[in-house]
Amino acid sequence: MNKIKRIFKNIVDFFKDIRISTIYKLVGVFLLIAILFWIYTTWKKNNTFKENNQNTITLNGKVTNKSEDYIIIEDSANNEYLIPNTNEEDYPIGSDVSTIIKDVVEQGSDKMPTTITSDNVRITNEKTENRNADSEIVAYLNEIESYFNDTSLQEEVKMRFITIVDFLFYNGTIKGYTLNDMSSKAKLQVLKIALSIDNKIENYLPGYKETISTTTGKAYTGIKNKIIETYLSTTTKICNYDKTLCNDAIKDFQDIKNAFSITWNVIKDLLSSGTDQLKTWYEIYSGKTS
């Protein structure tokens, strides 16, 4: 008990010895430390907020292409961005969208879109009329190809052949759609069917393409080569960002070249007109897949 009293007395004596000015100094130092700590924590929060905002980039653009697990967006500066793991059915081609770029996976180039990740792609203006463009156009061409089985439909074939060519090469429309409303995968299907239709026109209606070339002022006689060139050019671009579709397109071209007697000399003639894709086109022609 006496020991406790001595400790208590020592504490009391300690505080008696402290001057009032010393207490004020201690309180002042404590307040200064508190203020500096508050300033530091506030600065850190504001700095973190600014850094987060600086790293937040909103991408606004238009859906220009899509496949089963990605969409491609083009911004106002014509830069392309590929966003993987996206449900293509939710984004009709031509729709305006907005999203925040979470991370850049692979920087793009003039031949390849930049691959990015994003948690959410929001449609700001949906082009609902394009939802069925792929299926409707493919069905339309398949229907025309079947007309060759009925001689009574020859006049219908003539008319629709012009429609197909105008759609592919002269900014024409089919069922209200343009070629740009379609995905690359569907474009390849359409080109393959169109090549078959062109071949049947030659067999069933010889001389017809020369006639309409003269009367319309548009070139219909060289359509086969234009279709082949477009197929190869489309495949070349696809191979820069979609290996699965690339391999499928190359395999399909093996059937195409055999069915329509497309030799390497034909391809080289297309290249001689100014296309500098000799190596890539040879790999497609020869069936090389990754």
Side-chain angles (χ1 to χ4, degrees):
M1 185 69 178
N2 289 333
K3 187 176 180 180
I4 295 174
K5 285 181 178 181
R6 282 197 303 272
I7 294 172
F8 181 75
K9 184 178 182 300
N10 289 337
I11 293 173
V12 172
D13 291 342
F14 171 78
F15 279 102
K16 282 181 178 180
D17 291 339
I18 297 177
R19 297 179 181 180
I20 297 298
S21 60
T22 305
I23 294 175
Y24 285 157
K25 288 178 182 178
L26 291 173
V27 172
V29 170
F30 175 78
L31 289 174
L32 178 61
I33 293 173
I35 291 170
L36 290 174
F37 180 76
W38 176 80
I39 291 173
Y40 171 74
T41 54
T42 303
W43 171 83
K44 189 174 182 180
K45 287 180 181 178
N46 288 338
N47 210 43
T48 301
F49 177 77
K50 288 179 181 178
E51 287 179 358
N52 289 338
N53 278 347
Q54 286 175 350
N55 294 329
T56 298
I57 301 175
T58 300
L59 170 63
N60 296 303
K62 192 181 296 292
V63 178
T64 58
N65 205 348
K66 60 182 183 177
S67 190
E68 294 177 358
D69 56 359
Y70 65 79
I71 62 172
I72 293 179
I73 297 173
E74 184 177 298
D75 65 12
S76 57
N78 298 323
N79 298 312
E80 290 186 318
Y81 299 85
L82 184 149
I83 306 179
N85 304 318
T86 308
N87 186 358
E88 64 163 329
E89 294 181 359
D90 294 336
Y91 303 99
I93 290 178
S95 296
D96 296 318
V97 295
S98 179
T99 188
I100 294 176
I101 297 176
K102 186 178 179 182
D103 190 24
V104 175
V105 178
E106 185 176 2
Q107 189 64 45
S109 64
D110 57 340
K111 296 180 179 180
M112 181 177 70
T114 296
T115 301
I116 64 172
T117 58
S118 177
D119 291 334
N120 180 44
V121 182
R122 181 173 58 90
I123 292 180
T124 57
N125 182 30
E126 183 175 4
K127 197 163 185 180
T128 54
E129 61 269 27
N130 279 3
R131 279 200 170 274
N132 301 314
D134 286 0
S135 58
E136 288 191 39
I137 297 301
V138 171
Y140 179 89
L141 266 75
N142 279 325
E143 180 184 28
I144 295 173
E145 188 176 21
S146 70
Y147 286 175
F148 288 96
N149 298 324
D150 188 341
T151 55
S152 66
L153 294 174
Q154 278 195 0
E155 291 304 314
E156 185 71 17
V157 166
K158 290 180 180 179
M159 182 183 68
R160 295 206 184 188
F161 176 72
I162 295 175
T163 299
I164 293 170
V165 175
D166 288 351
F167 174 77
L168 291 176
F169 304 112
Y170 297 109
N171 298 316
T173 61
I174 291 177
K175 292 185 175 291
Y177 304 117
T178 66
L179 187 64
N180 288 333
D181 294 328
M182 305 182 69
S183 68
S184 291
K185 182 178 181 179
K187 286 178 185 177
L188 291 174
Q189 288 180 272
V190 164
L191 290 166
K192 186 176 180 180
I193 301 168
L195 199 56
S196 176
I197 292 173
D198 178 77
N199 187 65
K200 288 180 178 179
I201 286 284
E202 289 283 358
N203 293 328
Y204 288 87
L205 301 166
Y208 174 65
K209 289 194 291 184
E210 287 77 2
T211 300
I212 57 176
S213 293
T214 302
T215 56
T216 63
K218 296 177 182 178
Y220 290 92
T221 52
I223 290 304
K224 177 179 179 179
N225 285 354
K226 287 178 70 70
I227 294 173
I228 296 169
E229 184 176 356
T230 304
Y231 188 99
L232 292 171
S233 298
T234 303
T235 301
T236 298
K237 185 172 183 179
I238 289 170
C239 289
N240 287 315
Y241 60 82
D242 189 331
K243 295 304 178 185
T244 300
L245 185 54
C246 169
N247 290 340
D248 289 343
I250 292 173
K251 289 176 182 176
D252 280 347
F253 192 75
Q254 307 315 300
D255 296 333
I256 290 172
K257 75 176 184 182
N258 293 329
F260 305 115
S261 303
I262 301 172
T263 65
W264 177 237
N265 285 332
V266 170
I267 306 299
K268 286 196 294 184
D269 287 343
L270 297 177
L271 288 162
S272 65
S273 64
T275 308
D276 57 351
Q277 301 285 347
L278 181 63
K279 179 176 181 294
T280 305
W281 283 18
Y282 179 75
E283 289 176 351
I284 297 172
Y285 179 83
S286 62
K288 181 180 178 181
T289 58
S290 59

